[in-house]
């Protein structure tokens, strides 16, 4: 009797019931469970703090770097660290520390804008193909096969070699052009799986329109794989921009980019390795932070890991 009373009291104090249920006994959604797991994941916390710091200095680089990344003094060329210039100088006498800080803006802008473009375009095309099927699905499948056959670096050399702009937008456009097929295939498969669920069939039987089924029932349950892949791909897009800039077809002077600085410093690695190590290290940390974030989000959104 005492045990029964104690159990009843504990249930009154904890109306949420067993693990997996929310307040008043309501089951938690995938997103609430994922957020709960992410808050307990040290990988997510560390990578989020690093990314938050990168975003802040990309918006306000003057907070930690007061110099001009384009100011050059040939008398200081290839000099090492000295007071006020902790990272030394590049071959043109420009402050490496200032250029590394201002280069963050370029990398973060390319990564975020490319990911948004790829995710939106790929999700729309793949989602429509998975939902309607038929000839639309066949055309998209053959089109993605064509784009998958284009080598990314070779395509960048051909596509960007005729571009004279020094802004990030040609690079963003190229990444979106070649990056959307991956997201489209994932969105297509996710929508095909989601539309076979009972609640979608029930909504169809009740007369719900195609747009309502897509927006209210399918998209919220099919978007998780797209978010995971897009988050991981963001770091890849940043490294791709640096690679194209290193090859001379991405961003061009007077733009400030880690890829440009790595390319300029590659010929002086024996005499002045600091010119290469600092931008390469910043690039590696940035890419690693986004990949770690993507891995944490994947683990949180994958029901098989629960």
């Amino acid at each position: 009797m005492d045990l029964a009373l104690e159990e009843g009291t504990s249930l009154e104090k904890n109306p949420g019931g067993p693990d997996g249920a929310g307040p008043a006994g309501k089951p938690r959604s995938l997103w609430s469970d994922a957020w709960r797991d992410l808050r307990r994941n040290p990988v997510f916390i560390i990578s989020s703090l690093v990314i938050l710091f990168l975003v802040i200095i990309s918006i306000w680089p003057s907070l930690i770097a007061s110099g001009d990344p384009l100011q050059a003094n040939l008398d200081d060329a290839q000099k090492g660290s000295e007071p006020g210039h902790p990272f030394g100088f590049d071959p043109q006498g420009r402050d490496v520390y200032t250029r590394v800080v201002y280069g963050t803006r370029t990398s973060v802008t390319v990564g975020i804008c490319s990911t948004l473009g790829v995710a939106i375009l790929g999700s729309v095309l793949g989602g429509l193909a998975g939902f309607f099927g038929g000839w639309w699905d066949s055309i998209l499948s053959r089109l993605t096969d064509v784009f998958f056959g284009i080598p990314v670096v070779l395509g960048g050399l051909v596509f960007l070699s005729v571009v004279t702009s020094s802004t990030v937008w040609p690079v963003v456009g190229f990444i979106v052009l070649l990056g959307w097929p991956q997201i489209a295939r994932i969105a297509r498969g996710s929508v095909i799986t989601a539309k076979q669920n009972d609640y979608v069939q029930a909504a169809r039987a009740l007369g719900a329109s195609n747009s309502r089924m897509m927006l209210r029932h399918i998209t919220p349950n099919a978007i998780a794989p797209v978010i995971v892949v897009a988050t991981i791909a963001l770091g890849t897009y940043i490294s791709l921009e640096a690679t194209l800039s290193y090859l001379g077809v991405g961003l061009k002077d007077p733009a400030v980019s880690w890829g440009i600085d790595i390319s300029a410093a590659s010929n002086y690695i024996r005499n002045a390795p600091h010119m290469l190590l600092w931008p390469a290290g910043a690039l590696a940390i940035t890419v690693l932070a986004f990949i770690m974030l993507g891995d944490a989000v994947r683990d949180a959104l994958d029901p098989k890991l629960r």
Side-chain angles (χ1 to χ4, degrees):
M1 179 68 70
D2 293 338
L3 292 176
L5 290 175
E6 291 178 0
E7 183 177 357
T9 303
S10 63
L11 289 176
E12 291 178 358
K13 294 181 179 179
N14 183 20
D19 188 23
K26 295 181 179 179
R28 287 193 297 263
S29 66
L30 172 64
W31 301 103
S32 61
D33 279 342
W35 175 239
R36 183 192 61 177
D37 292 342
L38 287 174
R39 288 182 298 175
R40 300 175 179 178
N41 190 343
V43 174
F44 172 77
I45 296 174
I46 294 173
S47 60
S48 297
L49 291 176
V50 173
I51 292 172
L52 178 62
F53 174 73
L54 293 172
V55 171
I56 291 176
I57 65 174
S58 66
I59 298 175
W60 298 289
S62 59
L63 290 176
I64 61 173
S66 58
D68 184 356
L70 301 179
Q71 183 178 358
N73 184 1
L74 292 177
D75 293 335
D76 296 326
Q78 303 183 39
K79 285 185 178 180
S81 175
E82 61 181 42
H85 307 279
F87 293 177
F89 298 88
D90 70 357
Q92 300 183 35
R94 297 174 298 192
D95 183 37
V96 175
Y97 171 77
T98 304
R99 291 187 63 82
V100 168
V101 172
Y102 277 82
T104 306
R105 173 182 294 176
T106 300
S107 296
V108 172
T109 301
V110 169
I112 292 178
C113 293
S114 299
T115 302
L116 289 176
V118 167
I120 293 173
L121 181 60
S123 297
V124 171
L125 296 179
L128 292 177
F131 183 78
F132 292 106
W135 62 269
W136 176 260
D137 189 15
S138 300
I139 292 176
L140 181 72
S141 298
R142 301 293 76 78
L143 189 61
T144 54
D145 290 339
V146 172
F147 277 93
F148 276 127
I150 301 176
V152 176
V153 176
L154 179 60
L157 290 173
V158 175
F159 180 82
L160 296 174
S161 61
V162 297
V163 178
T164 59
S165 174
S166 60
T167 63
V168 301
W169 304 117
V171 179
V172 171
F174 166 74
I175 294 176
V176 172
L177 179 64
L178 290 189
W180 69 267
Q182 180 186 19
I183 298 295
R185 283 197 169 182
I186 293 172
R188 171 184 174 273
S190 186
V191 168
I192 290 176
T193 301
K195 76 175 184 179
Q196 297 174 355
N197 292 326
D198 293 338
Y199 56 84
V200 177
Q201 301 301 325
R204 189 189 300 274
L206 291 173
S209 62
N210 290 335
S211 60
R212 180 178 178 83
M213 285 190 292
M214 280 291 294
L215 296 177
R216 295 291 301 274
H217 302 289
I218 295 179
T219 299
N221 295 282
I223 199 65
V226 174
I227 294 176
V228 171
V229 174
T231 306
I232 297 176
L234 198 154
T236 305
Y237 298 151
I238 292 177
S239 62
L240 177 59
E241 177 274 320
T243 301
L244 295 174
S245 298
Y246 176 85
L247 296 174
V249 296
L251 296 176
K252 305 174 182 64
D253 284 326
V256 182
S257 167
W258 293 335
I260 294 176
D261 291 347
I262 293 173
S263 177
S266 59
N267 296 325
Y268 305 92
I269 187 172
R270 291 187 177 181
N271 299 328
H274 65 274
M275 296 188 303
L276 176 64
L277 295 179
W278 290 114
L283 175 63
I285 292 173
T286 302
V287 173
L288 179 62
F290 281 105
I291 292 178
M292 289 171 58
L293 179 67
D295 288 340
V297 173
R298 178 199 59 197
D299 294 342
L301 292 177
D302 190 353
K304 296 179 181 179
L305 299 178
R306 299 188 182 283

